[in-house]
């Protein structure tokens, strides 16, 4: 209780004192309250604290929903913050940087998870507390001093030309062939793929409009081979479902993300190709575009990234091209 009062006073003075003065204030308060007994009289405060925390989380999630976050992202945010509330039984206004550092360290040790996973949790908590600060629920986010956790960067694999041709040859139906070509030539997300309707496809201009993260629209483009295979697939359809990709069996429902992922895994297992999944097509397109000299800003637009840093994470430039460029410009 005593520490909570000290924290309340310090938070109230953060906007007026520098770090040295804050340190002095802490020492003065600690000395002044040494030996002083403080008795809590409001027995309902703990229940009220829990209610306030979860009410603020609900409001935060509503704000993120308005900003365009997907239901999947909102669930991840909710679970992450609620898990923190379980371990740190304090009101958000009393949660300190040290509390959060200890929580992250314990979480990593107990769950034996990667640094990347811990940094994702840090990032979500940072978003939550930054919102609390912006909305004046707290004076300063305690996550500000918890820096990005350094993780080992691994060069993620892309599909080779041979692997792509093997997958095309292994397709035993027009739908899978059109699906592989569309993923490979547009670099769209699998979630964008399954939302497409037949009416969204502009065959004449070889393009279509997809709805990306945050419900943002953007055009994507496909090549001539994709146009032929996509048209052959659409013309072969005997159902009246407006969806572009549907299940092969009746009642021919719209294909879901899990359906695409399962089919990709089956193809990979049949061909002996490791780690076949829809997102790998996206990374492959980005890498090839960069290698062939496409400006990174245009790749960013093509993939629908809000930040160019995200694009750079997808585009792993070929080391052979780096070697050739070194010989051309330096060696």
């Amino acid at each position: 209780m005593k520490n909570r009062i000290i924290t309340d006073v310090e938070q109230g003075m953060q906007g007026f004192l520098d770090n040295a003065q804050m340190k002095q204030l802490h020492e003065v308060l600690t000395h002044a309250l040494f030996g002083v007994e403080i008795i809590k009289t409001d027995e309902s405060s703990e229940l009220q604290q829990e209610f306030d925390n979860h009410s603020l989380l609900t409001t935060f999630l509503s704000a993120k929903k308005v900003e365009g976050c997907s239901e999947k992202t909102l669930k991840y945010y909710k679970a992450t913050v609620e898990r923190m509330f379980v371990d740190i039984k304090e009101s958000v206004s009393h949660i300190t940087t040290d509390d959060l550092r200890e929580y992250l360290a314990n979480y990593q040790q107990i769950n034996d998870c990667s640094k990347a996973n811990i940094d994702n949790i840090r990032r979500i908590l940072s978003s939550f507390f930054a919102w609390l600060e912006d909305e004046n629920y707290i004076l300063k986010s305690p996550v500000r001093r918890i820096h990005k956790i350094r993780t080992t960067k691994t060069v993620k694999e892309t599909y080779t030309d041979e692997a792509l041709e093997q997958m095309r040859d292994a397709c035993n139906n027009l739908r899978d062939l059109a699906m592989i070509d569309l993923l490979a030539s547009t670099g769209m997300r699998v979630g964008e793929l399954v939302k497409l309707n037949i009416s969204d496809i502009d065959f004449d201009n070889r393009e279509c409009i997809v709805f990306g993260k945050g419900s943002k629209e953007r055009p994507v483009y496909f090549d001539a081979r994709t146009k032929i295979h996509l048209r052959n697939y659409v013309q072969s359809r005997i159902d009246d479902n407006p969806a572009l990709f549907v299940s092969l069996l009746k009642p021919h429902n719209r294909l879901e993300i899990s359906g695409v992922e399962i089919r990709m895994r089956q193809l990979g297992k049949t061909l002996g190709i490791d780690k076949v999944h829809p997102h790998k097509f996206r990374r492959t397109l980005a890498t090839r575009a960069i290698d062939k000299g496409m400006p990174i800003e245009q790749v960013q637009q093509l993939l629908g990234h809000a930040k160019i840093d995200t694009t750079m994470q997808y585009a792993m430039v070929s080391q052979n091209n780096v070697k050739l460029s070194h010989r051309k410009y330096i060696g």
Side-chain angles (χ1 to χ4, degrees):
M1 189 65 186
K2 188 187 301 182
N3 290 335
R4 180 173 294 183
I5 291 174
I6 292 174
T7 301
D8 279 341
V9 174
E10 290 175 344
Q11 289 224 2
M13 295 300 294
Q14 275 182 350
F16 306 98
L17 305 177
D18 59 29
N19 288 340
Q21 291 169 329
M22 286 295 296
K23 184 178 179 181
Q24 184 66 32
L25 175 64
H26 180 81
E27 291 176 357
V28 170
L29 289 172
T30 303
H31 178 75
L33 294 175
F34 181 77
V36 175
E37 183 180 0
I38 299 175
I39 301 173
K40 180 176 66 177
T41 58
D42 184 5
E43 295 181 356
S44 67
S45 61
E46 289 186 3
L47 292 175
Q48 185 65 35
Q49 164 198 312
E50 181 180 354
F51 174 77
D52 287 343
N53 281 357
H54 288 279
S55 294
L56 290 172
L57 174 57
T58 300
T59 308
F60 165 71
L61 295 173
S62 298
K64 286 296 177 184
K65 187 173 184 179
V66 171
E67 290 175 12
C69 287
S70 67
E71 289 299 323
K72 182 179 178 180
T73 299
L74 293 174
K75 286 180 181 179
Y76 187 35
Y77 275 40
K78 184 174 186 289
T80 301
V81 177
E82 283 182 337
R83 197 159 49 229
M84 182 268 296
F85 283 159
V86 170
D87 279 32
I88 305 178
K89 297 177 173 59
E90 293 283 355
S91 167
V92 291
S93 60
H94 293 100
I95 293 176
T96 65
T97 301
D98 288 341
D99 290 334
L100 292 173
R101 282 184 178 136
E102 184 179 358
Y103 168 71
L104 292 173
N106 290 339
Y107 186 93
Q108 184 175 21
Q109 184 177 7
I110 293 170
N111 296 281
D112 192 27
C113 54
S114 67
K115 289 183 178 179
N117 193 351
I118 293 298
D119 194 59
N120 283 336
I121 296 172
R122 180 204 61 81
R123 182 174 49 80
I124 290 171
L125 295 180
S126 177
S127 178
F128 174 59
F129 281 100
W131 176 84
L132 290 173
E133 181 182 335
D134 291 342
E135 297 293 323
N136 296 320
Y137 290 111
I138 61 175
L139 287 171
K140 185 178 179 181
S141 167
V143 193
R144 277 190 181 188
R145 289 184 290 165
I146 303 178
H147 303 297
K148 186 180 188 302
I149 299 168
R150 294 181 181 179
T151 57
T152 303
K153 291 185 178 181
T154 57
V155 178
K156 296 182 180 179
E157 297 178 0
T158 57
Y159 294 121
T160 62
D161 290 337
E162 182 181 354
L164 288 172
E165 288 304 321
Q166 284 179 319
M167 282 188 276
R168 291 186 180 101
D169 291 342
C171 291
N172 56 12
N173 60 80
L174 294 173
R175 183 203 66 182
D176 289 353
L177 182 59
M179 192 160 59
I180 286 175
D181 275 337
L182 195 60
L183 286 169
S185 64
T186 64
M188 66 174 65
R189 302 177 178 93
V190 64
E192 297 166 345
L193 178 87
V194 298
K195 291 177 184 177
L196 283 172
N197 291 326
I198 297 174
S199 59
D200 295 325
I201 307 299
D202 183 348
F203 285 101
D204 293 333
N205 295 304
R206 299 209 311 254
E207 64 181 65
C208 57
I209 301 295
V210 296
F211 290 87
K213 290 185 177 181
S215 299
K216 295 178 182 176
E217 293 184 7
R218 79 175 189 284
V220 295
Y221 312 98
F222 49 87
D223 55 26
R225 172 165 55 181
T226 302
K227 173 182 176 179
I228 293 171
H229 292 160
L230 200 56
R231 177 165 276 167
N232 288 343
Y233 162 63
V234 171
Q235 289 177 346
S236 72
R237 292 264 297 272
I238 57 174
D239 60 273
D240 58 358
N241 194 322
L244 179 60
F245 292 107
V246 297
S247 59
L248 298 175
L249 301 176
K250 290 183 179 181
H252 302 296
N253 292 323
R254 181 185 292 273
L255 203 60
E256 297 182 356
I257 292 175
S258 59
V260 180
E261 291 173 338
I262 289 170
R263 184 58 189 136
M264 293 297 108
R265 283 198 297 268
Q266 289 173 341
L267 273 174
K269 187 176 181 180
T270 300
L271 296 169
I273 301 175
D274 190 34
K275 298 178 182 178
V276 174
H277 53 83
H279 203 76
K280 200 170 177 179
F281 290 98
R282 184 170 167 83
R283 191 183 307 124
T284 300
L285 177 95
T287 302
R288 290 185 179 179
I290 294 292
D291 282 349
K292 290 182 178 180
M294 188 174 187
I296 188 66
E297 295 83 2
Q298 293 181 14
V299 180
Q300 178 188 4
Q301 292 294 320
L302 194 63
L303 298 180
H305 289 152
K307 297 180 180 179
I308 203 165
D309 290 348
T310 309
T311 311
M312 291 304 298
Q313 292 174 8
Y314 279 71
M316 301 301 178
V317 179
S318 169
Q319 190 60 38
N320 287 333
N321 284 2
V322 175
K323 183 178 181 180
L324 290 173
S325 294
H326 180 275
R327 288 180 177 176
K328 179 179 178 181
Y329 295 107
I330 302 173

